[in-house]
């Protein structure tokens, strides 16, 4: 027999549903804000990104300011969030436990960088581009999903 009354179980269940709805709403709002930021900053245009990455050629430094602003917001945001005992829509924070650099991490990071450098897309702008009807972004996103699937297959143990 459960230690909780039916009323307490219903309250916990309602809180879980509210937490799920709130989490979905917060995620949707964050995604829309992130997508709008990508569009406004020009990060959804692969030619702008490739121009930024072309440091030996026709370098376009405009994304330095975008990245600087993102790092500044992240530093402040992480400090504020770290003061909370738990996230808004979960009972605990889920932080990475592994703190070492290994070959798998470095190879994966290099592969991500090469893909970004060749295509001009990383996951956020690729998804935004796909939703905007850019077929090229769909091809890049499909390649990213294939890479994620391959990683999952090789990571089973």
């Amino acid at each position: 027999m459960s230690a909780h009354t039916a009323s307490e179980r219903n309250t916990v269940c309602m809180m879980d549903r509210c937490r799920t709805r709130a989490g979905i709403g917060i995620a949707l709002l964050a995604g829309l804000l992130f997508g709008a930021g990508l569009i406004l900053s020009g990060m959804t245009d692969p030619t702008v990104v490739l121009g930024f990455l072309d440091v030996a050629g026709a370098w376009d430094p405009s994304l330095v300011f975008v990245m600087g602003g993102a790092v500044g917001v992240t530093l402040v945001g992480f400090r504020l969030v770290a003061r909370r005992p738990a996230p808004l829509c979960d009972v605990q924070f889920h932080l990475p436990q592994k703190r070492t650099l290994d070959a798998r991490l470095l190879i994966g990071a290099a592969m991500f960088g090469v893909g970004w450098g060749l295509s001009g897309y990383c996951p956020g702008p690729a998804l935004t581009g796909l939703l905007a009807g850019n077929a090229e972004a769909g091809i890049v996103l499909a390649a990213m999903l294939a890479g994620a699937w391959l990683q999952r297959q090789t990571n089973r143990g």
Side-chain angles (χ1 to χ4, degrees):
M1 186 166 157
S2 173
H4 297 289
T5 67
S7 176
E8 289 172 328
R9 284 192 302 273
N10 284 340
T11 301
V12 169
C13 186
M14 290 270 291
M15 287 174 56
D16 286 345
R17 275 190 246 132
C18 289
R19 204 174 278 149
T20 301
R21 285 188 197 127
I24 291 170
I26 290 169
L28 179 61
L29 182 62
L32 290 172
L33 183 62
F34 181 67
L38 291 173
I39 292 167
L40 289 172
S41 68
M43 292 221 27
T44 56
D45 182 355
T47 59
V48 172
V49 174
L50 292 172
F52 171 71
L53 296 174
D54 187 11
V55 293
W59 186 52
D60 176 5
S62 62
L63 291 184
V64 168
F65 300 107
V66 173
M67 289 186 185
V71 168
V73 168
T74 300
L75 287 173
V76 172
F78 271 106
R79 289 210 180 267
L80 292 173
V81 168
R83 294 180 183 164
R84 298 185 53 82
L88 292 175
C89 295
D90 204 345
V91 294
Q92 69 179 31
F93 288 105
H94 302 276
L95 301 173
Q97 299 302 309
K98 190 174 179 182
R99 301 214 180 258
T100 58
L101 296 176
D102 61 7
R104 289 176 59 91
L105 176 64
L106 296 174
I107 290 168
M111 290 173 66
F112 179 88
V114 168
W116 188 35
L118 290 174
S119 68
Y121 285 108
C122 60
L127 185 57
T128 304
L130 178 66
L131 294 175
N134 184 338
E136 179 183 81
I139 294 167
V140 172
L141 196 59
M144 286 181 203
L145 291 172
W149 176 85
L150 182 62
Q151 185 277 337
R152 185 168 286 240
Q153 298 307 307
T154 59
N155 204 29
R156 289 184 176 172

